């Protein structure tokens, strides 16, 4: 169990499409690392590529709300169906201090394996549906900035450039 560094906007891992997990030997360690890192950063969701691991897994904990009772693990997830429309302001641990309005489906049918590798195909709505779509986007190499309006991009231009520069320095 360990808290891992969360990679930020400009890191190549966030723009890499995650691979299906086929070897589950070390899955418990990865799940624990994801939860530890998410809680340390006060997040409600975290995808593996946000800690530099390009596998299809994310964790969610919105148990402070009435919509979910316990922390949840989603492995090899896939959106099977998507309906309705909802717009919410979202943040992201990989984009500190950035808040962007994102239009999402209000209801989704999601296929995934849980932490015991049991398969589910379940309908989600409300906050949980939004968080699942946000985290699933991460695994498809998509970020909330991809939904940003031109005015949002202008508003956050300086912040986004700072993040890009810090990642460029890391590489050089
Ligand atoms: Ni995020």
């Amino acid at each position: 169990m360990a808290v891992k560094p969360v990679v930020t906007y400009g890191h190549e891992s966030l723009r890499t499409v995650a691979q299906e997990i086929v070897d589950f030997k070390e899955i418990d360690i990865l799940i624990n690392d994801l939860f530890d890192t998410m809680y340390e950063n006060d997040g409600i969701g975290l995808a593996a590529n946000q800690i530099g691991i390009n596998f299809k897994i994310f964790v969610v904990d919105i148990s402070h709300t009435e919509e979910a009772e316990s922390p949840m693990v989603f492995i090899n997830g896939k959106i099977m169906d998507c309906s309705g429309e909802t717009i919410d302001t979202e943040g992201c641990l990989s984009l500190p201090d950035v808040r962007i309005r994102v239009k999402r489906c209000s209801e989704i049918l999601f296929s995934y394996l849980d932490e015991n590798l049991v398969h589910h195909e379940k309908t989600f709505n409300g906050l949980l549906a939004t968080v699942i779509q946000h985290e699933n986007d991460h695994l498809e190499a998509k970020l909330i900035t991809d939904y940003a309006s031109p005015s949002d991009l202008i508003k956050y231009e300086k912040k986004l450039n700072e993040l890009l520069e810090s990642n460029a320095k890391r590489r050089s």
Side-chain angles (χ1 to χ4, degrees), residues 49-68:
N49 54 346
Q50 292 184 275
I51 58 169
I53 293 171
N54 291 104
F55 283 116
K56 268 195 169 183
I57 174 172
F58 61 85
V59 297
V60 173
D61 189 351
I62 58 159
S63 58
H64 62 288
T65 71
E66 287 169 13
E67 294 178 44

Side-chain angles (χ1 to χ4, degrees), residues 50 91-94 134-135 138:
Q50 292 184 275
C92 180
L93 294 179
S94 295
H134 177 118
E135 301 311 328
H138 273 301

Side-chain angles (χ1 to χ4, degrees), residues 3-65:
V3 174
K4 302 287 184 184
V6 174
V7 305
T8 56
Y9 185 75
H11 193 288
E12 62 275 15
S13 179
L14 297 176
R15 292 303 192 185
T16 306
V17 176
Q19 293 175 29
E20 291 253 323
I21 302 181
V22 289
D23 177 357
F24 297 97
K25 268 201 307 278
E26 301 202 340
I27 196 81
D28 289 342
I29 298 169
L30 180 53
I31 289 169
N32 284 327
D33 286 353
L34 285 167
F35 276 120
D36 287 348
T37 306
M38 181 180 75
Y39 292 134
E40 177 70 20
N41 291 283
D42 296 319
I44 57 172
L46 189 71
N49 54 346
Q50 292 184 275
I51 58 169
I53 293 171
N54 291 104
F55 283 116
K56 268 195 169 183
I57 174 172
F58 61 85
V59 297
V60 173
D61 189 351
I62 58 159
S63 58
H64 62 288
T65 71

Side-chain angles (χ1 to χ4, degrees), residues 35 38 58 68 72 102 126 131 141 160:
F35 276 120
M38 181 180 75
F58 61 85
M72 300 178 82
V102 182
V131 179
L160 294 175

